[in-house]
Amino acid sequence: MRAQYEAFPYPERDPADEAKRLITGSPSYPPEMDHWLWGGARDWSRPLRFLAAGGGTGDGLIQLAQMLTSAGRAYEATYLDLSQAARRIAEDRAAQRRLTRINFTTQSILNAAEYGPFDYIDCCGVLHHLPDPQAGFDALAGALAPGGGIGLMVYAPHGRSGVYPLQDAFAALTAGLAPQDRLARAQEVYQAIPEGHPFKRNPHLVDHNTSEAGFYDLLLHSSDRPYRISELLAALDRAGLELAGVPVPAEYDPEPLVGALPDTLGDAEKMQLSEDLRGTIKVHTVYAVKKGARVAPPKGHPEAIPHLRGLDPARLARAIAQKGSINASAGGKDIDIALPKSAAGIVAGVNGRRNLAALRQAAKMDPIAFGAAWGPVETALTGLGMLHYSRVLSA
C-alpha cells in the first residue's frame, strides 16, 4: 500500500492550484465542527490543537488551517502520513498559502498519541485501508484531549456497488506488477468490461475518470473495506467513542421514504434502514466524541447564532417569500421542502452574528410566531447541512 501512495499520491493535487481555489468539504469545516462537537460553544480564542491523521495530499489539513488563519484564530496543526510523496504535496500546498503552523511528520496514525493530545482529529479515507481498522479507531480515541472530537470518513458499500468485484479481478490480473504496470493493465481491461457491469452503471463513482491516482485508489487498492453505518457505530463504540452527529442528517432519515416508523426502532437502526433503502451513500462522514461527552447543538436557544453554509441569505429569503418552499437533494433524492413564507424576513437577517433572540426582535414576532416560522427552516436546513449554530462568534 505504501508503494501505491508513493507512485500515486491521492487525491491528486497541484499545489499551484492553491492560488485559485480552496477545496472545502466535510468534515473539518469550523462552524460544522462547533455545531456537532461542542454544542456551538467552543471558545475560539483558545488555540485549536488538531491532527490530520493520514493527511494524504492535504485537503482536510489545508481547509482547516486556512479557514482558521483567515478568521484570525490560533492553532497548532500536526500532519501524519506514511507516504513521503503525499507529504511533499501537502507541504507544498501549505507553503503556497504561507501556512506555517503545521508540523509535518512521516508516521503511522497508529502512533498518533505520541504527538497529542488533540482538541480535534481529521481522519478521512484512511481507517478503511488499514490492515486492522479497529486499531486505527482505538489509536485516534487515545489521541483525543478531554472534550476533543473527531471528524472522520470511511467508505460505505451500497454507493460503491461494482467496486469490489473489480478490485478482486484486477488484483488477480496484476499480481506482482509494479504500480505503473498494474495501472496500465487494469485500464486496458477496464475498456472491455460490459456496460451492464454494476460498476459502469453506478453514477455515483467518478474517481476513475478524474486522474490516474483516482483510478488506482478506487479499483486497484490492496486494502479496502467498506462500513455500513451500523458497523461504523459499532467500531466507534469499541474504541470508547460515540456518534456526535453527521454533516447531512437528512441522508440518514428514512421517514421521508417510508412514513411513520415503528417505535421499536432505535436511532442506529433508523440510520441503517435509511442507508439500505437509499442505496446511494458511498461514504459515511461523521463526527465523534468520547463516550458520555456528546453535547447537543443549541437548536432553538435564544442565544444560538445561526450560520448559513453555501447559501446567500437574501436569495434564500426571496425563494421562501415567493414560493414558500426550497428545492434540495439529500441521499440521492431530490426533494421539495415547504417553508412558511413568514420565515423570509428572519432568514434575510441571518448574518452569522445575530442570535435567535435578536432575529426575533428584528422580525417583531412573539415567541410563538417566531418558533412557528423559524422551526421548519431550522429543521430543513440543519438536516441538509446548510445551517449550523454557535453560541459565541464562530470561526
Side-chain angles (χ1 to χ4, degrees):
M1 184 162 58
R2 186 179 298 187
Q4 169 187 338
Y5 288 120
E6 294 299 338
F8 299 104
Y10 179 83
E12 187 173 294
R13 296 290 183 245
D14 181 353
D17 289 341
E18 298 306 312
K20 300 181 288 187
R21 62 173 182 174
L22 174 65
I23 295 172
T24 61
S26 295
S28 303
Y29 179 75
E32 183 181 83
M33 292 159 55
D34 197 8
H35 178 95
W36 291 115
L37 294 175
W38 301 300
R42 187 178 197 281
D43 179 4
W44 291 95
S45 68
R46 291 189 301 108
L48 181 76
R49 193 158 191 251
F50 76 90
L51 168 68
T57 53
D59 282 2
L61 170 77
I62 299 300
Q63 169 181 283
L64 185 50
Q66 181 62 67
M67 294 188 75
L68 292 174
T69 297
S70 297
R73 307 301 186 182
Y75 66 90
E76 178 186 343
T78 297
Y79 165 104
L80 298 181
D81 201 288
L82 285 173
S83 169
Q84 299 218 24
R87 171 181 165 174
R88 285 193 294 271
I89 294 171
E91 286 181 311
D92 287 347
R93 292 177 68 185
Q96 288 285 333
R97 292 182 173 274
R98 297 181 175 83
L99 301 173
T100 59
R101 287 173 280 179
I102 304 171
N103 175 40
F104 288 92
T105 304
T106 303
Q107 183 60 268
S108 168
I109 71 167
L110 298 181
N111 299 319
E114 297 177 15
Y115 301 87
F118 297 99
D119 303 312
Y120 177 70
I121 298 174
D122 173 283
C123 186
C124 291
V126 179
L127 295 168
H128 47 238
H129 291 319
L130 297 179
D132 180 3
Q134 190 61 47
F137 283 96
D138 296 345
L140 297 184
L144 269 185
I150 301 173
L152 65 87
M153 179 276 279
V154 295
Y155 292 151
H158 302 336
R160 286 166 62 85
S161 62
V163 167
Y164 297 102
L166 286 187
Q167 282 189 1
D168 291 341
F170 290 153
L173 285 170
T174 64
L177 297 179
Q180 288 285 358
D181 295 330
R182 292 192 72 207
L183 175 66
R185 178 63 172 143
Q187 288 179 322
E188 176 188 14
V189 174
Y190 178 77
Q191 300 305 317
I193 294 172
E195 293 301 316
H197 190 286
F199 180 87
K200 287 199 169 181
R201 293 175 61 86
N202 187 340
H204 310 291
L205 302 170
V206 298
D207 270 6
H208 58 298
N209 290 323
T210 59
S211 67
E212 291 184 340
F215 187 103
Y216 204 109
D217 195 79
L218 183 63
L219 296 176
L220 286 165
H221 210 291
S222 60
S223 179
D224 176 348
R225 68 141 296 180
Y227 284 80
R228 300 171 76 215
I229 188 62
S230 55
E231 294 171 329
L232 173 55
L233 297 180
L236 293 174
D237 182 73
R238 288 191 292 271
L241 300 168
E242 66 175 302
L243 181 72
V246 296
V248 186
E251 291 186 339
Y252 296 94
D253 180 8
E255 288 201 22
L257 302 178
V258 301
L261 295 166
D263 294 336
T264 54
L265 289 182
D267 290 342
E269 293 170 310
K270 292 176 183 177
M271 295 178 77
Q272 187 58 65
L273 178 60
S274 184
E275 180 185 6
D276 292 341
L277 289 172
R278 295 182 187 280
T280 56
I281 297 175
K282 63 180 182 180
V283 300
H284 295 302
T285 302
V286 304
Y287 287 101
V289 295
K290 290 185 176 180
K291 286 182 182 178
R294 182 178 180 272
V295 183
K299 295 180 181 179
H301 193 285
E303 295 180 2
I305 301 169
H307 302 262
L308 295 177
R309 180 178 185 178
L311 295 172
D312 175 71
R315 180 178 295 180
L316 177 61
R318 286 196 297 272
I320 294 172
Q322 293 170 4
K323 300 191 301 179
S325 66
I326 59 171
N327 303 111
S329 178
K333 186 176 178 62
D334 292 331
I335 49 178
D336 191 69
I337 303 172
L339 295 174
K341 290 187 175 183
S342 58
I346 304 171
V347 169
V350 173
N351 64 359
R353 301 185 69 85
R354 295 190 184 99
N355 62 23
L356 294 184
L359 289 169
R360 182 180 73 79
Q361 185 176 22
K364 298 180 180 180
M365 290 182 171
D366 62 57
I368 294 176
F370 182 83
W374 179 252
V377 174
E378 176 188 85
T379 298
L381 297 187
T382 56
L384 294 168
M386 297 175 178
L387 172 66
H388 305 108
Y389 280 118
S390 69
R391 282 183 282 181
V392 293
L393 291 183
S394 170

